[in-house]
Amino acid sequence: MTQTDNLTKESILTIGKGVPRLRFAPSPTGFLHIGAFRTALFSWLYARHTSGQFILRIEDTDTARTVEGAVDDFINGLTWLGMDVDEGPIVGGPYGPYYQVQRKALYQQYASQLITSGHAYRCYCTPERLDAMRKAQEAQKLPPRYDRHCRYLSDEEHAANEAAGLPWIVRFAMPLEGETVVPDKLHGDMVFKNTDLDDMVILKSNGLAPYHLAHLVDDHLMGITHVLRGEEWIPSAPRHVQLHKALGWELPLYYHVPNVLGKDKKKLSKRRNAPSWSEYQEQGFLPEAVFNFLALLGWSYDDKTELFSREELIRAFTIDRIGISSGIYDADKLLWMNGVYIRQLPLDELVRRTLPYMERPEAEGGLPNSISRPLDVEYTTRVLRLEHERLKTLGEAAHVVSFFFEDEISYDTALLIQKGMDASRTRNALVYTRDLLTYIQDWDHTIIEPLMRELVATLGLKAGQLFGTVRTAISGRTATPPLFEMMEVLGRDVTMKRIEQAIIYVS
RNA sequence: GCCUCGUUCGUCUAGCGGUUUAGGACAUCGCCCUUUCAAGGCGGAGAUCACGGGUUCGAAUCCCGUACGAGGUACCA
């Protein structure tokens, strides 16, 4: 297809029929991983970029594998990521229903139309026969393919099978020679030999259509202009082209998007190497960070820009800059990006969004059950201000900040003794610190710091030796926010109490 | 087995025939800042552009093979 042809086709679709219409059509066989949302995101971004429409359709024709609650999971995931749906379940729309099980009659109608036009036929082959056939083919090292047994049945034989009440399905009569060209906007034309294509099933015994017919009928009827789907569909795309031809329908614009791979270099799979999107939510990833990260998975704007707000992404997104080679998703980079987004959050917003994570039960990553301080907004704000630029996820806040809320802290008392110090010098330093702190009028880090620095000099220690000891004494940690601000937030009473305790520990 | 798609630093990528001593980011290493941890700043290392042939004055960029990887090969999507 030449560039001119593309432009022409695109013009017809976008100007002739209105705006671009794209869909996300998951099948409710389980939760969704972020790879699935990545492809949906591209469709969504393009729809928003062009003021087009984004449609959610549920491909539930595999009734046996349908999982309860899956559709809610999709909708929750889309909502979390901020991908609003113009048409679909719940919101409805003029091209519904948006569940394929409810569109059964449509598929049957087109299947029988194809039989009438000679493009399809009824097949009475039993699963046992198909199985035996496939086994025989494999034994002979032949590609397993339907042998077209029923395609060549005479009218009399069809009538006899009918009269006998044999169950049947419908198969598509694939052209027996020639080639099928799949025009793909990302890959260019892909050519397939028709002899490699078999007579696939287009109507199952449960009366529903498999993906091949169902998605295509729906896309056509719903006016879908751009089909973005995973590259695993490339091998069956020629079937879809032939089906379009037989139905006399114009092809949508195809974009076969590369798959997202796991660390094992395998396609992300819910049952093998990919967590549900909701685990990212539970760990405290910000949806805007995941959104940004996902957009960069197989798409790029230029050679340096990586941080995009939602609006910037909508403005910058162009479909032709989607890459064609699949890539492993880099969990480290997501973590980094989440940190960037957390740091960009205004403090009150950070608190508002972190509180629910801290309020979770201890077992789910919340604050310890033993906390003695209430989780009020004022105090939590003062605490989180100190951890703001240190957080990588919202979920880790509770752990990192727990000592601000606990009454008793426990730690390895050996950590009190700094490099070049011993127990008695440490004890001495703590005693001096306690005495100094007792006389401080304004409990403010700007007051505490210079006095503590004087004490360092008085005791002939290095700053790190004194401060390290006090840090451990009041937090039980070796890595904390700046010491004096921490003391200020903790308050005089708690600080003094913990230092007293530490004096006992080192004795 | 057969069919198809893909292949630039460890990872994500820029590059669409000359501006490239192949640019950026994450990770990593070093230095600076510094009371620890982060954050930030500066810098380093890291890619014979999978390999082999062509085409061309000139190729990471175009063509053909090979290798490797992935995907598909169902009354699953």
Side-chain angles (χ1 to χ4, degrees), chain A residues 222-387:
Chain A
M222 292 180 178
I224 301 301
T225 56
H226 299 62
V227 172
L228 269 70
R229 60 180 7 172
E231 65 183 349
E232 70 270 22
W233 292 108
I234 290 176
S236 47
R239 298 166 153 191
H240 308 150
V241 170
Q242 285 299 150
L243 226 26
H244 275 276
K245 201 173 282 180
L247 256 4
W249 294 344
E250 192 185 355
L251 286 174
L253 263 14
Y254 283 115
Y255 296 79
H256 288 96
V257 174
N259 283 133
V260 179
L261 273 29
K263 272 258 182 285
D264 55 1
K265 299 200 177 195
K266 297 266 196 287
K267 186 179 110 172
L268 243 36
S269 144
K270 32 192 157 192
R271 49 172 313 181
R272 193 180 46 228
N273 56 3
S276 159
W277 68 269
S278 58
E279 290 187 38
Y280 289 89
Q281 180 186 38
E282 283 156 20
Q283 285 174 50
F285 283 89
L286 304 184
E288 55 268 49
V290 176
F291 185 92
N292 189 156
F293 178 77
L294 250 26
L296 256 23
L297 222 53
W299 177 85
S300 63
Y301 177 69
D302 59 16
D303 60 340
K304 41 183 69 89
T305 320
E306 300 200 292
L307 265 13
F308 295 86
S309 69
R310 176 174 306 266
E311 292 67 33
E312 285 166 342
L313 221 28
I314 290 171
R315 209 174 323 119
F317 187 80
T318 52
I319 210 163
D320 57 295
R321 287 196 61 88
I322 297 175
I324 53 170
S325 58
S326 41
I328 301 164
Y329 97 100
D330 185 353
D332 281 340
K333 191 155 183 174
L334 205 210
L335 202 58
W336 164 77
M337 194 173 276
N338 202 52
V340 171
Y341 273 84
I342 286 177
R343 273 171 253 132
Q344 283 174 358
L345 248 30
L347 182 58
D348 57 343
E349 179 74 0
L350 174 76
V351 173
R352 191 181 66 75
R353 292 171 68 162
T354 307
L355 237 21
Y357 286 93
M358 296 172 66
E359 286 163 348
R360 296 182 296 188
E362 183 174 6
E364 290 170 27
L367 249 13
N369 298 325
S370 57
I371 62 164
S372 55
R373 280 199 88 126
L375 251 178
D376 67 278
V377 174
E378 197 269 323
Y379 182 65
T380 307
T381 302
R382 295 176 67 203
V383 169
L384 286 180
R385 189 181 67 78
L386 300 184
E387 285 293 350

Side-chain angles (χ1 to χ4, degrees), chain A residues 410-417 472 476 505:
Chain A
S410 58
Y411 53 93
D412 177 0
T413 54
L415 295 175
L416 287 167
I417 299 165
T472 301
Y505 285 148

